[in-house]
Amino acid sequence: MKVLLSREQIAEAVARMGKQISRDFAGESVVLIGVLKGACLFLSDLARQIELDATFDFIAVRSYGTKKEAAGEVQLIKDVTTPLRDVNVILVEDILDTGLTLTFLRKHLCAHQPRAFKIATLLDKPSRRAAPVQADYVGFQIPDEFVVGYGLDFAERYRNLPDICVLESP
Ligand code: IMP
Ligand code: MG
């Protein structure tokens, strides 16, 4: 498989994002909410680059569609348990593609009336956007290619690859 982003490039971007978040929320606490399962590797590395009082929570959704295409129907399968009212929430996602997942999650989480709501995504495919959503912290903008590794899967496989690779013929 062709490596698109090496583990060194990923580590550099994650460190940069952690510094930005630490600067933006200096003196405050944050709740990092990871979108399962894809964001769990990113969250665990990002958290260690954030020099703030931080807690974690996780949320899981399922989006219906064929193997590589997200459909538009998003269903909540695991909710957070942390009270979010008046706290600083950073939603941590692996990839922002059509934006349908994050549009759903933003609405769901903002209903709790957090003090701040920010989105951190490792990857952004802006050319695929179908819903108007932007991330506040972005690791890399990538072209419209299907990628796996560092948490990202194809049919649940390849999440454990240390680099982000382009899946050409699954
Ligand atoms: P969206 O709702 O289209 O923005 O899709 C976001 C979700 O689609 C991500 O959380 C991933 O699970 C999945 N996804 C989108 N593009 C890719 C990709 O290139 N590789 C692996 N998963 C992807
Ligand atoms: Mg995902």
Side-chain angles (χ1 to χ4, degrees):
M1 260 189 270
K2 190 183 104 198
V3 174
L4 180 68
L5 299 164
S6 69
R7 61 201 80 183
E8 292 81 11
Q9 289 174 292
I10 297 168
E12 212 173 285
V14 172
R16 168 175 52 78
M17 296 171 84
K19 278 203 188 80
Q20 288 173 339
I21 292 168
S22 305
R23 201 189 316 121
D24 291 353
F25 289 94
E28 299 187 48
S29 303
V30 294
V31 181
L32 305 176
I33 301 181
V35 185
L36 294 173
K37 304 168 200 166
C40 71
L41 277 68
F42 175 42
L43 185 143
S44 47
D45 285 341
L46 180 66
R48 283 176 281 186
Q49 299 293 335
I50 292 178
E51 295 176 4
L52 299 171
D53 176 46
T55 57
F56 302 167
D57 207 332
F58 294 93
I59 196 163
V61 290
R62 179 187 296 138
S63 44
Y64 290 102
T66 52
K67 286 169 208 135
K68 281 190 175 184
E69 298 294 323
E73 282 284 311
V74 182
Q75 189 197 357
L76 187 69
I77 50 179
K78 184 225 170 291
D79 205 350
V80 293
T81 54
T82 311
L84 299 180
R85 198 187 170 94
D86 222 26
V87 304
N88 297 314
V89 169
I90 300 174
L91 185 61
V92 180
E93 176 61 307
D94 52 3
I95 184 165
L96 175 51
D97 186 29
T98 64
L100 296 168
T101 305
L102 285 181
T103 299
F104 172 90
L105 288 173
R106 179 174 59 186
K107 183 163 176 243
H108 177 73
L109 295 170
C110 285
H112 291 89
Q113 298 181 268
R115 186 208 307 253
F117 180 82
K118 302 284 181 190
I119 295 172
T121 188
L122 181 64
L123 305 178
D124 184 11
K125 279 186 197 171
S127 63
R128 292 258 306 161
R129 204 74 89 251
V133 55
Q134 273 187 316
D136 302 283
Y137 306 99
V138 177
F140 303 93
Q141 290 202 340
I142 63 165
D144 182 13
E145 292 191 275
F146 197 85
V147 291
V148 295
Y150 194 70
L152 290 142
D153 73 305
F154 175 67
E156 296 299 328
R157 296 176 61 207
Y158 312 114
R159 293 192 195 276
N160 59 323
L161 299 179
D163 306 302
I164 292 174
C165 301
V166 176
L167 188 67
E168 270 142 8
S169 48

